[in-house]
Amino acid sequence: MDQPQKLYLRGGVYEVYTGTDWEALAPQTLADDEAMFYWLHSEENDFYGQGQLAKADRLTLGTEPCNMTVENLSACRGHAYLPYAFADTALLPKRQIGDAGSKETIERFSYLPGSLPEWFAVQHEIAAKQEELSDYRDSEAAYAGYAEANDLMMTEECWNVLYQQLGDRTGTHSLGEILKTIREYLDGYMYYDENVSTHSGDGDFLRCTLEYGGAGYSVHYATAATLMLRYFGVPARYVEGYFLSAEEAQKYASGEEIILTENHAHAWAEYYLSGVGFVPFEVTPGYMDDEELAISGDGESEDNTGLRYTANPMSYVQPQQPEAQIPQDGEHTNLH
């Protein structure tokens, strides 16, 4: 990296929670939006989900891009591993629908340095310049509609679990309030254990984690956070990839090789930040830092973004799933 810094490299992005697994969107679901993505990816719009943060920044703050090289040594080759502020949309496949599950190998590309504070600053600028950025806002609105249609869905069983744990959260809430509520719940009712084995069988993984277990590692925390965001009406996805902390990144010089091993493998949630795209939401103990906590810790995000979300479960709860069973020894939920 030209500027070694805190880094999330997205690999697998999953949008469908089945109760026992996270899966990619069905091919037919993607095909239904083919025409829209053909329009978004046209030369006129040049709008890609992977490059949305960089495009929004280019229209507002104008941050100078840097270079990054990602060489896949032994990780799963079913995914490309790209940062959130990926800036080289010319390298992305024109016919790709959506931005989850990218499989094209892209080794050297440009990216924008910065993280959550900068991205929230971009969101503020986008919101303040709606008339000046009407073309961009048209593209963003179409993509946001796609996210709302696909990244709010949850099973009825899952909704019932969260209703029992969080209470009735229908109505409108600020983004800062939502993030803070989720963090406080997970901090109070779960503890980190990287050796936990969750046995849910055919029952709901979230119910098993929150009601029977109360412990887990990044997979458990990311699953809970993603579904809680959806419960509040915030489009969210479950992500697996690699994480480099700010503290570790400071040990490297510009251009120095950084080896990411299985110790850097991680899972996290991401939510759609209106105007600028998906951003990571970190809730796993030991991975959060001051910039993460500032977004939901003191109400600043509410003042800066003005974002409010309304939970309307009747519009996105899926049909009733089989009733969850009490976990039995030897049964294991196979989450990605």
Side-chain angles (χ1 to χ4, degrees), residues 15 25 30 33 36-37 97-98 142-151:
E15 298 172 88
L25 287 173
L30 294 171
D33 287 298
M36 182 189 72
F37 278 97
I97 306 174
Y143 182 73
Y146 168 84
E148 290 172 1
N150 295 297
D151 300 327

Side-chain angles (χ1 to χ4, degrees), residues 29 40 80 124 130 135 146 280:
T29 302
L40 288 175
H124 180 74
Q130 294 197 35
D135 291 342
Y146 168 84

Side-chain angles (χ1 to χ4, degrees), residues 34 37-38 41 48 92-98:
E34 182 178 10
F37 278 97
Y38 180 80
H41 296 170
Y48 291 78
L92 296 171
K94 299 289 185 185
R95 297 188 62 83
Q96 179 176 311
I97 306 174

Side-chain angles (χ1 to χ4, degrees), residues 114-134:
S115 192
L116 281 177
E118 289 80 11
W119 300 339
F120 270 81
V122 170
Q123 193 281 332
H124 180 74
E125 291 297 314
I126 289 288
K129 299 179 179 179
Q130 294 197 35
E131 293 186 6
E132 302 171 48
L133 303 175
S134 58

